[in-house]
Each structure stands twice: as C-alpha cells, then as structure tokens.
Amino acid sequence: MDRILVGLDASPRAAGVLDTAVELARRTGGKLILFRAVGVPHEIPVEAYTMTPTALADLLQRDAQTYLDGLAEKLPAGLVVAAVVAVGTPWQAVCAAADEHHADMIVIGSHGY
C-alpha cells in the first residue's frame, strides 16, 4: 500500500482517524495524503458576512490548509507526501482526491461535526 488518503475534518474524532492512518502507514510502508474538504459550514466566521462567495471559499481553504499543514509538521518526516484542501461536497471531494493522487486506501471517520 503506497498511498493512504486521510480524510480529516477538524472534529474531535479527527485525531483518532489520523492515528489509525499513521499506524497503517507504518505497518505497510505507505505514505499519507492528508485531505480536507470544505464547504459553507454551519457556523461561519464573522468576517464572512462581508465577503464575496469567492473570498469566503478562499478563507475556508486557507484555514483548512493551515490546519493540515500543522498536523503534517507533527508527523514523522517523510510520512506525509501531500496536504490537500478542496472545496466541495465531502464524499465527492474525497473520491476525486483519491483518484487524483492515486490513493490505494482511504481512511475516514464515521462522523464529523
């Protein structure tokens, strides 16, 4: 198993999902692709009310990328090959990212927020 796509959503359960993916990668010699799909959340930042839809998407992507980059920094060197954010419906974005990055496995949690 070369590439494992890890769907993360910043929920409290995400840490367990990441731990499971790290253990799978260690056992199989695989590498991780950290992934997060973003859409309009139930609660949006106050500054979003003054933004255009494009600017809001950029803000959400930027925050999600910061989250993934922070997680990647805490993992062993060389374990993460990419940290990717996509705007869209989570299931569609995960499937598209898995295809694009040639993932051999997808690790996700059962629920997010």
Side-chain angles (χ1 to χ4, degrees):
M1 195 166 326
D2 293 329
R3 292 175 165 248
I4 302 169
L5 184 92
V6 188
L8 299 163
D9 62 2
S11 72
R13 294 181 180 198
V17 171
L18 183 58
D19 290 346
T20 299
V22 167
E23 184 59 29
L24 281 168
R26 284 186 179 150
R27 289 181 182 196
T28 64
K31 301 292 182 180
L32 301 180
I33 302 159
L34 305 183
F35 180 77
R36 183 159 177 204
V38 294
V40 177
H42 296 288
E43 296 178 20
I44 60 174
V46 175
E47 64 265 29
Y49 291 105
T50 61
M51 297 179 154
T52 65
T54 301
L56 175 58
D58 290 343
L59 171 67
L60 296 173
Q61 281 184 286
R62 197 170 43 251
D63 287 351
Q65 191 66 56
T66 299
Y67 166 74
L68 292 180
D69 291 343
L71 290 176
E73 289 176 4
K74 296 175 186 174
L75 296 175
L79 186 62
V80 176
V81 294
V84 181
V85 175
V87 175
T89 305
W91 73 267
Q92 290 173 323
V94 166
C95 290
D99 284 342
E100 180 181 340
H101 294 278
H102 308 288
D104 299 302
M105 175 182 271
I106 301 171
V107 176
I108 58 173
S110 62
H111 295 91
Y113 56 84

